[in-house]
Amino acid sequence: DLLEPYILTGFVTYFPRFPRSALSEAHFAIHTDQHLPSHAAPDAQAAAHCLSFQRGLTEWVAFLHSPDEFLSSGKGLRNVQREIVEPLRPLRDEGLAVVDVPAIYFTHG
């Protein structure tokens, strides 16, 4: 399994069958309806679960919803710690809780 080394070191936490284990039966039934499009997945519940699970354990959490998503900047992003985390630290110390980073979608054709 590709994630196994990361899971074993604790870098990744995997929740098998997440909707079944974390959602109520009513939510699970809604999100497993075969007529719902794929974007109807329980993203909000997954985000809330992640934030509550990581509270007090993790300093920063970034939600990247697809394997081909990444953080970047107009200059290109080389060092997340130096270019994103360090400039935000003073704001975090003053109570910053959330940073919304706009997404740009590229399509071909």
Side-chain angles (χ1 to χ4, degrees), residues 27-84:
H27 280 103
F28 182 75
I30 291 167
H31 291 296
T32 56
D33 184 328
Q34 294 182 20
H35 302 292
L36 290 175
S38 62
H39 67 269
D43 285 346
Q45 292 91 342
H49 177 266
C50 175
L51 290 173
S52 90
F53 187 81
Q54 292 302 310
R55 186 174 184 93
L57 299 174
T58 305
E59 186 175 12
W60 297 95
V61 173
F63 291 107
L64 301 173
H65 296 279
S66 177
D68 62 350
E69 285 187 353
F70 54 92
L71 295 173
S72 187
S73 70
K75 299 175 188 174
L77 186 61
R78 302 283 183 239
N79 183 318
V80 172
Q81 179 74 25
R82 185 182 73 240
E83 297 176 43
I84 295 178

Side-chain angles (χ1 to χ4, degrees), residues 60 91-92 95-99:
W60 297 95
L91 297 172
R92 183 179 175 274
L96 175 74
V98 175
V99 176

